[in-house]
Amino acid sequence: MPHFLDIDQVDPSDLRAMIDNARAMKAARGTRPRGASDDEQPLAGRMVALIFEKPSTRTRVSFDMGVRQMGGQTMVLSGGEMQLGHGESVADTARVLSRYVDLVMSRTFREDTLQELAAHAAVPVINGLTDRSHPCQIMADILTYEEHRGPIAGRRVVWSGDGNNVCASFLHAAGQFGFHLTFTGPAELDPDPAALAFARSRGVEARVERDPARAVEGADLVVTDTWMSIHHPEHARARRHALLQPYQVNAALMARAAPDALFMHCLPAHRGEEATSEVLDGPHSVIVDEAENRLHAQKAILRWCLGL
Ligand code: CP
Ligand code: NVA
């Protein structure tokens, strides 16, 4: 079953084909208005379920729009409204949904929930974020980087801050697309060791550098994310902020990157915390392009999953 669960689990040539397909579909839309349907309707007659245990703006709207543009339909199911949130097993939910819909996109807390859904579903499952990873976001980010600066292979990416779910998917992508990634952040919030090991196993540099100024020196791309992800408990806020403050991406840190470096953030941003408004709205920033490219990248992922 062609699930899209994590970037390290998909063949690199398929990942490359998805990025190229996303670019072609984006180009084919030309200057037509947002929301209009595509000329091609590969998802005509298909139904996609979008499950959300957590809040979302970009993932929800971009998947919904992408399916509709390709002629399909969606139903949005929030965790609390489903029997899943009231004791029904994930396996039973997966088996039953597979009798109704053609594909399931799911945003869950626990990684296990996603894995169990995929194990028991008879239709493709797409990971729309778990506590552990966020692969759709990074496919959009690869598309965004390459639109602005050409091939990402061989480039130097720096992740500054929390070694979280989005960082793990960036490390998977480093291995699959062949770019180097330096993590700079406090030891307590280091990235998933398996994700670091995966990147290294593919022959790219995946380093940890505690000094943010040294890490960012000459970087082609600087990336950060919120200091408090949805799954982090409120009581951890003060400690996390104290640990992460030295890794804020501000104008002084960005000035150490290459002159044509890009700045990325998956959003939602907490202005003045992980990044300043000067950087978020500054000349290096491509944050809104990343958000738009969720739409195009996910359309390519949907087509790959459905073999269309
Ligand atoms: N970047 C991202 O996934 O945003 P949402 O949480 O709004 O979906
Ligand atoms: N790391 C963030 C990403 C949100 C898109 C979170 O998990 O909340």
Side-chain angles (χ1 to χ4, degrees), residues 2-153:
H3 298 309
F4 189 81
L5 302 183
D6 268 316
I7 289 176
D8 63 338
Q9 289 164 32
V10 179
D11 191 275
S13 62
D14 284 9
L15 294 170
R16 172 48 62 193
M18 285 183 235
I19 297 292
D20 294 347
N21 188 20
R23 215 167 162 162
M25 280 192 284
K26 183 175 181 178
R29 286 187 62 79
T31 54
R32 282 177 303 145
R34 297 154 186 87
S37 61
D38 292 347
D39 291 339
E40 268 195 276
Q41 299 278 282
L43 264 62
R46 310 272 178 152
M47 177 59 81
V48 174
L50 307 174
I51 300 179
F52 288 95
E53 282 186 354
K54 292 173 173 175
S56 166
T57 297
R58 280 142 289 269
T59 305
R60 178 173 171 162
V61 179
S62 59
F63 264 107
D64 203 340
M65 286 308 308
V67 171
R68 290 181 202 216
Q69 286 179 354
M70 294 194 293
Q73 296 185 57
T74 57
M75 67 178 63
V76 179
L77 305 162
S78 84
E81 290 165 358
M82 297 177 71
Q83 298 289 12
L84 180 59
H86 299 277
E88 185 167 17
S89 78
V90 180
D92 286 347
T93 304
R95 290 187 196 105
V96 169
L97 285 179
S98 300
R99 298 287 176 100
Y100 302 132
V101 304
D102 298 290
L103 184 144
V104 176
M105 191 294 306
S106 131
R107 167 170 285 197
T108 59
F109 282 93
R110 294 171 51 240
E111 174 69 17
D112 290 357
T113 309
L114 174 77
Q115 295 298 339
E116 211 177 326
L117 203 53
H120 297 279
V123 297
V125 174
I126 296 178
N127 175 5
L129 181 144
T130 66
D131 296 355
R132 181 178 162 267
S133 63
H134 195 7
C136 293
Q137 178 67 48
I138 307 312
M139 292 296 280
D141 292 351
I142 301 299
L143 174 61
T144 307
Y145 185 88
E146 296 199 334
E147 277 181 343
H148 284 273
R149 294 287 184 267
I152 196 163

Side-chain angles (χ1 to χ4, degrees), residues 54 58-59 107 129-131 134 137 162 164-166 225-226 228-232 266-268 294:
K54 292 173 173 175
R58 280 142 289 269
T59 305
R107 167 170 285 197
L129 181 144
T130 66
D131 296 355
H134 195 7
Q137 178 67 48
D162 184 15
N164 65 10
N165 45 4
V166 181
D225 188 16
T226 179
M228 285 289 286
S229 285
I230 305 163
H231 59 281
H232 291 138
C266 66
L267 305 178
R294 292 291 302 277

Side-chain angles (χ1 to χ4, degrees), residues 186 188-189 227-228 236-248:
E188 202 174 301
L189 303 177
W227 291 344
M228 285 289 286
R237 181 179 292 274
R239 173 153 181 79
R240 295 179 62 86
H241 276 226
L243 284 168
L244 287 161
Q245 187 63 50
Y247 299 95
Q248 179 191 67

